[in-house]
Amino acid sequence: MSNKFRTGTLALAVSMALGTVSAYAAEDDAKAVKEKSVERIAVVGTRSAPRSVADSPVPIDIVGGDELGKNASSDMLDMLQGAIPSLNVRQQPISDAASFIRPVNLRGLSSDSTLVLLNGKRRHRASVIAFQGGGVNDGAQGPDISVIPSVAIKQVEVLRDGAAAQYGSDAIAGVLNFVLKDSAEGGSISVKAGEYYEGDGGLLVVDGNIGMPFTDDGFANLSFQYKTAEATSRSVQRPDAQGLIDAGNTAVASPAMVWGNPEIEDDITLFANVGLDLGNDNEFYMFGNYSDRTATGGYYYRNPQNRGGVFSKDVFDYDWDPDGDGTNDPTRKVWLVGDMAGAGMSGCPTDVTLVNNVTGDSIDNILLTPEYAQVAASENCWAFNEMMPGGYTPQFTGVINDVSLTMGTRGEISGGFLDDAYYDISGSVGRNKSTYTLVNTVNPSMGALNTSQPNNAFEAGSYIQLEKSFNFDLVKGIDIGLDDMMNFATGFEWRQESFEIVSGEQASWQQGPLADQGFSVGSHGFAGFSPEAQGINSRQSIAVYVDVEAYVTEDFLLGAAIRYEDFSSFGDTTNYKLTAQYQLTDEFSLRGSHSTGFRAPTVGQANVVNTQTSLVNGELIQSATYPPTHVVSAQLGGVELDPEESQSFAFGAVYQSGDFFMTVDAYSIEVTDRVAQTDKIFITQADVDALQGKYPSPELLLGGSVTFFANDFDTQTTGVDVVMNYGMELMEGDTKFSLAYNYNSTEVEDAGLFTSDFKVRRLEEGIPEHRGTLTMAQSWESVSMFVRANYFGEWFATHADEPDVDSSYGWSETAGSSFTLDAEVSYYFNDNWVLSVGANNILDTKAQELQKDGGAYGVVSGVYYESGPFDYSGGFYYVKATYNF
């Protein structure tokens, strides 16, 4: 066996392939680049012998760990977005748990269409489901990438090609692989502090890494990160709240609600990567993490004049003429007065017209006025103006805990038929838990009993995602008479995935004494999980694959992979992939691939239960999410979920000459039966009548909406990626230029009953079709710097809760293209100390503003659309000090 193949097979046994520095590595310090090989090992893309990216049949980007740290943000998602144009991440204020674990998009597909690996092993999902995912991510459930600190990362490898036949479910858009540092010596510790130009969002990050020997033949590389981030506010006072203040209501806050990034407290992350040489070309490895953080965000303001189900209710009165203009308005708003002793038991008034309570008077005072000539309310009569005369704005807190551990062994087999073959055996477990608490809110159905809740707080319960897996991989070179040995790989995988709902405290979900008197049920903003919702749902799957790759001639590479998987929930699926590359000259080659793929609906999507408050046409309503097979969902058309299926085609070219490197790759991805959260379906009396005897108290659903998950549409995504690098000497220093550009277009096809025209437009236009970055990195003996220009094309700007593209509130429009600029300068005092100063969005480019004359500006209480391609909070500057040892 040749040394060339032996080296390649060993790398393959740990699932490795070779790639050149991508265009984005231009941001690495040129001083550091000098000390590194031009080529780096990549874990994704092929199971064959190592080769450079120029020789790879599929596009791979490699982003160095040093580059990731050159960013104002400490969130891995923001770091990657600055490096990979086909990857998009959004800030999402007032979006429930999606504000805390933000979804990410590769090539315009949902976040759970990208497979995430850690050291080449599948990363577990987050327990958070993005119920308000801004269209493309509605209902997505992907891994929590934000827990991975850059200080722990050696490099990130991005496979921009469908890879389900190689890696299994979720790899429709591509693969992100995070490779942990593996040094047995040295390390660093750094402190970074910064804030937005507006003076808020203060960030403090302390992180460190140390490499140590693990006996004489191994390493233990340990990393930590501690982070806090203050909330931001890009808020305006709501006109209705200001009207109350102007009229003398002193109980209304200013602003009544805050629109901005959540507050992050005590964000602690620990990562470890351990390896030990066992001798005879065998090794033991182990890696994992522990992460914990608390995040707090806001909700919408509850106006004491008109919040239905709390302060008021609508009655139909065909003689009602509030303006006295002779035109009747059949809807009359009345005070919602509850009888704590039971409806009708205490003679509480039930039809007091709601007018002019701008001063926040309690219901007792209002009922005593001559205007109403009502009997004074007894002690059993209750209205929430007595408790919160200025209304209220709930706060949503999530405690996110993430733990994982992978252990395995790999090495060479000696003797017998498998002589010189390499094996990799591993087991993994990952768990993500999200616990939710609501503060400054009420369970309206409890009435006066709410006063017994300390701080008006309710623990709403938890989601827990738990995943276990076992993998066996085998690689061997086989001589079949070709130019080089054919690489043969096969393997087996077993996985188990469970999604658990833990019920909240009783007060967060109970139907209180006022439940049947028009008061809504559950803690407002996010209702607690009831014992009926509590439980564990799980599934198992097994998979086997075969992967072959060989040079048919010295210049012509062919590869094929086939994978069979069987799921306990929906059955089996078989997928394949074909790859090819032809080297036309020493500098120029063509490459292409074709693959089928799938994405299994997550256990969470198939079984989740959730109740939240949504903003619809300016009014807050309760919106419940049920499993698609739940009796309520089934009444509305829900059926059991099927997996998504995909077909991908790609064709590209690679050119490399001296210090110039360029790749162009075109792709087409067709996804059928896409799984997503349906649009809100409003409950009618006919639905209530049909649910009698099938669902407890279906009347409580009236006035609200229901969503569930469904295979409701297909998409066709096409695009082009362009990557260019050029290095040279300039200004008596080392210079590297890089350009990366992505064009991505999605067309929705065969949209079903649960996908509105508005949602189609968000899917097709919500992410810019054009995005690019141009970077210049420069270094001298003791100074290095980079400047990065970011371009974002037009996009469809909207608010997450807007229900209809034709809404009169004016919450959507086509936003123009944008340009932002990032920069950093570092000074090396000596071999140990480095001081860096930088900024993201250094020109403070403003995000797209909401239409002030359309109503949303005040109702949302925010200045900008939340769905923008870059941070709406504006420019951010930072200072970072690093000590290397």
Side-chain angles (χ1 to χ4, degrees), residues 196-200 232-236 258-260 861-864 872-874:
Y196 286 96
Y197 290 6
E198 294 283 340
D200 59 7
T232 65
S233 175
R234 300 298 176 264
S235 309
V236 294
V258 175
W259 192 96
S861 198
V863 177
Y864 307 106
Y872 51 71
S873 293

Side-chain angles (χ1 to χ4, degrees), residues 515-662:
D516 58 353
Q517 298 180 38
F519 290 81
S520 55
V521 176
S523 48
H524 251 211
F526 191 99
F529 308 135
S530 68
E532 289 77 15
Q534 179 172 282
I536 302 176
N537 291 278
S538 63
R539 74 168 176 221
Q540 296 184 16
S541 66
I542 59 172
V544 292
Y545 72 88
V546 174
D547 190 337
V548 296
E549 197 168 75
Y551 278 95
V552 178
T553 69
E554 183 179 357
D555 298 318
F556 188 32
L557 173 67
L558 285 178
I562 187 168
R563 187 183 186 95
Y564 170 84
E565 296 206 30
D566 185 59
F567 288 79
S568 60
S569 55
F570 60 80
D572 58 0
T573 178
T574 302
N575 296 276
Y576 65 87
K577 181 171 184 176
L578 304 172
T579 60
Q581 183 171 39
Y582 188 74
Q583 194 76 31
L584 294 173
T585 68
D586 290 342
E587 294 83 17
F588 184 71
S589 66
L590 299 176
R591 62 187 179 187
S593 67
H594 165 57
S595 64
T596 63
F598 75 104
R599 187 185 75 79
T602 72
V603 179
Q605 290 170 335
N607 298 281
V608 70
V609 176
N610 178 271
T611 302
Q612 60 186 8
T613 302
S614 299
L615 191 64
V616 178
N617 286 327
E619 297 288 337
L620 293 173
I621 67 164
Q622 293 293 98
S623 180
T625 300
Y626 294 104
T629 55
H630 188 276
V631 61
V632 175
S633 304
Q635 163 63 25
L636 300 171
V639 296
E640 188 171 349
L641 296 176
D642 292 321
E644 301 176 354
E645 296 182 351
S646 70
Q647 283 203 61
S648 299
F649 295 87
F651 180 77
V654 180
Y655 180 80
Q656 186 173 27
S657 177
D659 292 325
F660 180 77
F661 174 77
M662 178 178 180

